[in-house]
CSV table of all heavy atoms in Angstrom, one decimal:
chain,number,residue,atom,x,y,z
H,279,TYR,N,2.2,-43.9,10.9
H,279,TYR,CA,1.7,-42.9,11.8
H,279,TYR,C,2.5,-41.6,11.7
H,279,TYR,O,3.2,-41.2,12.6
H,279,TYR,CB,1.6,-43.3,13.3
H,279,TYR,CG,2.6,-44.3,13.8
H,279,TYR,CD1,3.8,-43.8,14.3
H,279,TYR,CD2,2.4,-45.7,13.7
H,279,TYR,CE1,4.8,-44.7,14.8
H,279,TYR,CE2,3.4,-46.5,14.1
H,279,TYR,CZ,4.5,-46.1,14.7
H,279,TYR,OH,5.5,-46.9,15.1
H,280,PRO,N,2.5,-41.0,10.5
H,280,PRO,CA,3.3,-39.9,10.2
H,280,PRO,C,3.1,-38.7,11.1
H,280,PRO,O,4.0,-37.9,11.3
H,280,PRO,CB,3.0,-39.6,8.8
H,280,PRO,CG,1.7,-40.1,8.5
H,280,PRO,CD,1.6,-41.3,9.4
H,281,TYR,N,1.9,-38.5,11.6
H,281,TYR,CA,1.6,-37.3,12.3
H,281,TYR,C,1.5,-37.5,13.8
H,281,TYR,O,1.0,-36.6,14.5
H,281,TYR,CB,0.2,-36.7,11.8
H,281,TYR,CG,0.2,-36.4,10.3
H,281,TYR,CD1,-1.0,-36.2,9.7
H,281,TYR,CD2,1.4,-36.3,9.6
H,281,TYR,CE1,-1.0,-35.9,8.3
H,281,TYR,CE2,1.4,-36.0,8.2
H,281,TYR,CZ,0.1,-35.8,7.6
H,281,TYR,OH,0.1,-35.6,6.3
H,282,ARG,N,2.0,-38.6,14.3
H,282,ARG,CA,1.8,-39.0,15.7
H,282,ARG,C,2.4,-37.9,16.6
H,282,ARG,O,2.0,-37.8,17.7
H,282,ARG,CB,2.5,-40.3,15.9
H,282,ARG,CG,2.2,-41.0,17.2
H,282,ARG,CD,3.0,-42.2,17.3
H,282,ARG,NE,2.4,-43.3,18.0
H,282,ARG,CZ,2.9,-44.5,18.3
H,282,ARG,NH1,4.1,-44.8,17.7
H,282,ARG,NH2,2.2,-45.4,18.9
H,283,ARG,N,3.5,-37.3,16.2
H,283,ARG,CA,4.2,-36.4,17.1
H,283,ARG,C,3.6,-35.0,17.2
H,283,ARG,O,4.0,-34.1,17.9
H,283,ARG,CB,5.6,-36.3,16.6
H,283,ARG,CG,6.4,-37.6,16.8
H,283,ARG,CD,7.7,-37.6,16.2
H,283,ARG,NE,8.2,-39.0,16.1
H,283,ARG,CZ,9.4,-39.4,15.7
H,283,ARG,NH1,10.2,-38.5,15.3
H,283,ARG,NH2,9.7,-40.6,15.7
H,284,ILE,N,2.5,-34.7,16.3
H,284,ILE,CA,1.9,-33.4,16.4
H,284,ILE,C,0.9,-33.4,17.5
H,284,ILE,O,-0.3,-33.2,17.3
H,284,ILE,CB,1.3,-33.1,15.0
H,284,ILE,CG1,2.3,-33.3,13.9
H,284,ILE,CG2,0.9,-31.6,15.0
H,284,ILE,CD1,1.7,-33.1,12.5
H,285,ARG,N,1.4,-33.6,18.7
H,285,ARG,CA,0.4,-33.7,19.8
H,285,ARG,C,0.1,-32.3,20.2
H,285,ARG,O,0.9,-31.4,20.3
H,285,ARG,CB,1.1,-34.4,21.0
H,285,ARG,CG,1.3,-35.9,20.6
H,285,ARG,CD,1.2,-36.7,21.9
H,285,ARG,NE,1.3,-38.1,21.5
H,285,ARG,CZ,2.5,-38.8,21.5
H,285,ARG,NH1,3.6,-38.1,21.8
H,285,ARG,NH2,2.6,-40.0,21.1
H,286,GLY,N,-1.2,-32.1,20.5
H,286,GLY,CA,-1.6,-30.8,21.0
H,286,GLY,C,-2.1,-29.9,20.0
H,286,GLY,O,-2.9,-28.9,20.2
H,287,ILE,N,-1.7,-30.1,18.7
H,287,ILE,CA,-2.2,-29.2,17.7
H,287,ILE,C,-2.9,-30.0,16.5
H,287,ILE,O,-3.1,-29.5,15.5
H,287,ILE,CB,-1.1,-28.3,17.1
H,287,ILE,CG1,0.0,-29.1,16.4
H,287,ILE,CG2,-0.5,-27.3,18.1
H,287,ILE,CD1,0.9,-28.3,15.5
H,288,GLU,N,-3.2,-31.3,16.8
H,288,GLU,CA,-3.8,-32.1,15.8
H,288,GLU,C,-5.0,-31.4,15.2
H,288,GLU,O,-5.2,-31.5,14.0
H,288,GLU,CB,-4.3,-33.5,16.3
H,288,GLU,CG,-3.2,-34.3,16.9
H,288,GLU,CD,-3.1,-34.2,18.4
H,288,GLU,OE1,-3.4,-33.1,18.9
H,288,GLU,OE2,-2.9,-35.2,19.1
H,289,ARG,N,-5.8,-30.8,16.0
H,289,ARG,CA,-7.0,-30.2,15.5
H,289,ARG,C,-6.8,-29.0,14.6
H,289,ARG,O,-7.7,-28.6,13.9
H,289,ARG,CB,-7.9,-29.8,16.7
H,289,ARG,CG,-7.4,-28.6,17.4
H,289,ARG,CD,-8.0,-28.4,18.8
H,289,ARG,NE,-7.0,-27.6,19.6
H,289,ARG,CZ,-6.8,-26.3,19.5
H,289,ARG,NH1,-7.5,-25.6,18.6
H,289,ARG,NH2,-5.9,-25.7,20.2
H,290,LEU,N,-5.5,-28.5,14.6
H,290,LEU,CA,-5.2,-27.3,13.7
H,290,LEU,C,-4.7,-27.8,12.3
H,290,LEU,O,-4.7,-27.0,11.4
H,290,LEU,CB,-4.1,-26.5,14.3
H,290,LEU,CG,-4.4,-26.0,15.8
H,290,LEU,CD1,-3.2,-25.2,16.3
H,290,LEU,CD2,-5.6,-25.1,15.8
H,291,VAL,N,-4.3,-29.1,12.2
H,291,VAL,CA,-3.7,-29.5,11.0
H,291,VAL,C,-4.6,-29.8,9.9
H,291,VAL,O,-5.7,-30.5,10.1
H,291,VAL,CB,-2.8,-30.8,11.3
H,291,VAL,CG1,-2.2,-31.4,10.1
H,291,VAL,CG2,-1.7,-30.5,12.3
H,292,GLU,N,-4.3,-29.3,8.7
H,292,GLU,CA,-5.1,-29.5,7.5
H,292,GLU,C,-6.6,-29.3,7.7
H,292,GLU,O,-7.4,-30.1,7.4
H,292,GLU,CB,-4.8,-30.9,6.9
H,292,GLU,CG,-3.4,-31.1,6.4
H,292,GLU,CD,-3.0,-32.5,6.1
H,292,GLU,OE1,-3.8,-33.4,6.3
H,292,GLU,OE2,-1.8,-32.7,5.8
H,293,ARG,N,-6.9,-28.2,8.4
H,293,ARG,CA,-8.3,-27.9,8.6
H,293,ARG,C,-8.7,-26.7,7.9
H,293,ARG,O,-7.9,-25.8,7.6
H,293,ARG,CB,-8.6,-27.7,10.1
H,293,ARG,CG,-7.9,-26.5,10.7
H,293,ARG,CD,-8.8,-25.9,11.8
H,293,ARG,NE,-8.2,-24.7,12.4
H,293,ARG,CZ,-8.7,-24.0,13.3
H,293,ARG,NH1,-10.0,-24.3,13.7
H,293,ARG,NH2,-8.1,-22.9,13.7
H,294,GLU,N,-10.0,-26.6,7.6
H,294,GLU,CA,-10.5,-25.5,6.9
H,294,GLU,C,-10.8,-24.4,7.9
H,294,GLU,O,-11.3,-24.7,9.0
H,294,GLU,CB,-11.8,-25.8,6.1
H,294,GLU,CG,-12.4,-24.7,5.4
H,294,GLU,CD,-13.7,-25.1,4.6
H,294,GLU,OE1,-13.7,-26.3,4.1
H,294,GLU,OE2,-14.6,-24.3,4.5
H,295,LEU,N,-10.6,-23.2,7.6
H,295,LEU,CA,-10.8,-22.0,8.5
H,295,LEU,C,-11.9,-21.1,7.8
H,295,LEU,O,-11.6,-20.7,6.7
H,295,LEU,CB,-9.5,-21.3,8.7
H,295,LEU,CG,-9.5,-20.3,9.8
H,295,LEU,CD1,-9.6,-20.9,11.2
H,295,LEU,CD2,-8.1,-19.5,9.8
H,296,ASP,N,-13.0,-20.9,8.5
H,296,ASP,CA,-14.0,-20.1,7.9
H,296,ASP,C,-14.1,-18.8,8.7
H,296,ASP,O,-14.4,-18.8,9.8
H,296,ASP,CB,-15.4,-20.8,7.9
H,296,ASP,CG,-15.4,-22.0,7.0
H,296,ASP,OD1,-15.1,-21.8,5.8
H,296,ASP,OD2,-15.6,-23.1,7.4
H,297,LEU,N,-13.8,-17.7,8.0
H,297,LEU,CA,-13.9,-16.3,8.5
H,297,LEU,C,-15.0,-15.6,7.8
H,297,LEU,O,-15.5,-16.1,6.7
H,297,LEU,CB,-12.6,-15.6,8.3
H,297,LEU,CG,-11.3,-16.3,8.9
H,297,LEU,CD1,-10.1,-15.8,8.3
H,297,LEU,CD2,-11.3,-16.1,10.4
H,298,PRO,N,-15.5,-14.5,8.3
H,298,PRO,CA,-16.6,-13.8,7.6
H,298,PRO,C,-16.2,-13.5,6.1
H,298,PRO,O,-15.3,-12.7,5.8
H,298,PRO,CB,-16.8,-12.6,8.4
H,298,PRO,CG,-16.3,-12.9,9.7
H,298,PRO,CD,-15.1,-13.8,9.5
H,299,GLY,N,-16.9,-14.2,5.2
H,299,GLY,CA,-16.7,-13.9,3.7
H,299,GLY,C,-15.4,-14.5,3.1
H,299,GLY,O,-15.1,-14.4,1.9
H,300,VAL,N,-14.6,-15.2,4.0
H,300,VAL,CA,-13.3,-15.7,3.5
H,300,VAL,C,-13.1,-17.1,4.1
H,300,VAL,O,-13.4,-17.4,5.2
H,300,VAL,CB,-12.1,-14.8,4.1
H,300,VAL,CG1,-10.8,-15.4,3.6
H,300,VAL,CG2,-12.2,-13.4,3.6
H,301,ALA,N,-12.7,-18.0,3.2
H,301,ALA,CA,-12.4,-19.4,3.6
H,301,ALA,C,-11.0,-19.8,3.3
H,301,ALA,O,-10.5,-19.4,2.2
H,301,ALA,CB,-13.4,-20.4,3.0
H,302,VAL,N,-10.3,-20.4,4.2
H,302,VAL,CA,-9.0,-20.9,4.0
H,302,VAL,C,-9.1,-22.5,3.9
H,302,VAL,O,-9.5,-23.1,4.8
H,302,VAL,CB,-8.0,-20.5,5.1
H,302,VAL,CG1,-6.6,-21.1,4.8
H,302,VAL,CG2,-8.0,-19.0,5.3
H,303,VAL,N,-8.8,-23.0,2.7
H,303,VAL,CA,-9.0,-24.4,2.4
H,303,VAL,C,-7.7,-25.1,2.2
H,303,VAL,O,-6.9,-24.7,1.4
H,303,VAL,CB,-9.9,-24.6,1.2
H,303,VAL,CG1,-10.2,-26.1,0.9
H,303,VAL,CG2,-11.2,-23.9,1.4
H,304,PRO,N,-7.4,-26.2,3.0
H,304,PRO,CA,-6.1,-26.9,2.8
H,304,PRO,C,-6.0,-27.8,1.6
H,304,PRO,O,-7.0,-28.3,1.1
H,304,PRO,CB,-6.0,-27.7,4.1
H,304,PRO,CG,-7.4,-28.0,4.5
H,304,PRO,CD,-8.2,-26.8,4.0
H,305,LEU,N,-4.8,-27.9,1.1
H,305,LEU,CA,-4.5,-28.9,0.0
H,305,LEU,C,-3.2,-29.6,0.4
H,305,LEU,O,-2.2,-29.0,0.6
H,305,LEU,CB,-4.3,-28.1,-1.4
H,305,LEU,CG,-3.8,-29.0,-2.5
H,305,LEU,CD1,-4.9,-30.1,-2.9
H,305,LEU,CD2,-3.5,-28.1,-3.7
H,306,LYS,N,-3.3,-30.9,0.5
H,306,LYS,CA,-2.2,-31.7,0.9
H,306,LYS,C,-1.2,-31.9,-0.3
H,306,LYS,O,-1.6,-32.4,-1.3
H,306,LYS,CB,-2.7,-33.0,1.4
H,306,LYS,CG,-1.7,-33.9,2.1
H,306,LYS,CD,-2.5,-35.0,2.8
H,306,LYS,CE,-1.8,-36.3,2.9
H,306,LYS,NZ,-0.9,-36.6,3.8
H,307,THR,N,0.0,-31.6,0.0
H,307,THR,CA,1.0,-31.8,-1.1
H,307,THR,C,2.2,-32.6,-0.6
H,307,THR,O,3.2,-32.9,-1.3
H,307,THR,CB,1.7,-30.4,-1.6
H,307,THR,OG1,2.3,-29.8,-0.5
H,307,THR,CG2,0.6,-29.6,-2.2
H,308,THR,N,2.1,-33.1,0.7
H,308,THR,CA,3.2,-33.8,1.2
H,308,THR,C,2.9,-35.3,1.2
H,308,THR,O,2.0,-35.8,1.7
H,308,THR,CB,3.5,-33.4,2.7
H,308,THR,OG1,3.7,-32.0,2.7
H,308,THR,CG2,4.7,-34.0,3.3
H,309,ALA,N,3.8,-36.0,0.5
H,309,ALA,CA,3.6,-37.4,0.3
H,309,ALA,C,4.4,-38.3,1.2
H,309,ALA,O,5.6,-38.0,1.4
H,309,ALA,CB,3.9,-37.8,-1.2
Side-chain angles (χ1 to χ4, degrees):
Y279 33 89
Y281 303 161
R282 196 184 209 178
R283 294 170 192 183
I284 311 179
R285 293 210 177 92
I287 60 163
E288 300 97 325
R289 69 198 158 75
L290 306 178
V291 174
E292 291 166 4
R293 68 148 178 174
E294 182 178 324
L295 192 64
D296 292 304
L297 301 162
V300 178
V302 181
V303 180
L305 172 65
K306 190 170 149 84
T307 60
T308 304

